[in-house]
Amino acid sequence: MPSVFTWTVRVYYEDTDAGGIVYYANYLKFFERARTEWLRSLGIHQQDLLSAEGAAFVVRSASVEYLGAARLDDELTLRLNIEKLGRASVQFAQQAWRGDTLLASASVKVGCVDAATLRPRSIPDIAADKMRAA
């Protein structure tokens, strides 16, 4: 699935450590926000999936490689694409760029669960169809 989604985020003071560099764990927050905005761009709202379908997405695994440092006030371009769309999970490739410089690269697997039991379930058809079409 070659389609790439991009979303821009600004680095705020709260995102940085004492040295003014983005704290490593905050890249996971940036990547989470990009996935949420990607879903919104497809017309998929997580709150609607939760209330109408009883479905929620949870991160199953994440692997991040840090290649450079983002700093206070930097504008980062976050990119994501689907590597694999399964019945109950989605594997994403995600990147954080500052201009032409790749700062972080991640592989994130997200699973769909039943919100009440937190047990795996298939991705609702309405969401899966939109993901496939993207």
Side-chain angles (χ1 to χ4, degrees):
M1 298 183 183
S3 181
V4 175
F5 174 78
T6 60
W7 187 66
T8 303
V9 64
R10 175 77 59 190
V11 174
Y12 294 110
Y13 185 78
E14 68 187 16
D15 300 319
T16 63
D17 61 15
I21 294 173
V22 170
Y23 184 66
Y24 77 95
N26 286 334
Y27 285 96
L28 292 171
K29 291 181 181 182
F30 297 156
F31 292 149
E32 174 77 26
R33 292 173 192 164
R35 289 192 307 275
T36 298
E37 294 303 326
W38 172 73
L39 286 172
R40 283 191 181 129
S41 77
L42 298 178
I44 301 169
H45 300 276
Q46 292 185 76
Q47 187 60 45
D48 292 344
L49 282 180
L50 185 63
S51 60
E53 301 279 345
F57 291 109
V58 297
V59 173
R60 178 177 168 93
S61 64
S63 174
V64 184
E65 184 175 1
Y66 300 98
L67 305 164
R71 298 179 184 277
L72 180 64
D73 289 330
D74 280 353
E75 184 176 86
L76 305 181
T77 300
L78 306 174
R79 298 179 187 169
L80 75 78
N81 64 285
I82 294 176
E83 291 184 309
K84 182 179 179 186
L85 177 59
R87 186 181 65 76
S89 65
V90 186
Q91 182 77 35
F92 292 96
Q94 295 191 250
Q95 301 171 331
W97 294 79
R98 182 185 56 237
D100 294 335
T101 303
L102 177 60
L103 302 177
S105 179
S107 178
V108 181
K109 186 171 189 177
V110 175
C112 187
V113 298
D114 178 278
T117 65
L118 299 180
R119 297 186 63 88
R121 60 155 289 170
S122 61
I123 299 170
D125 289 340
I126 191 162
D129 291 345
K130 289 179 179 182
M131 288 178 186
R132 273 190 287 280

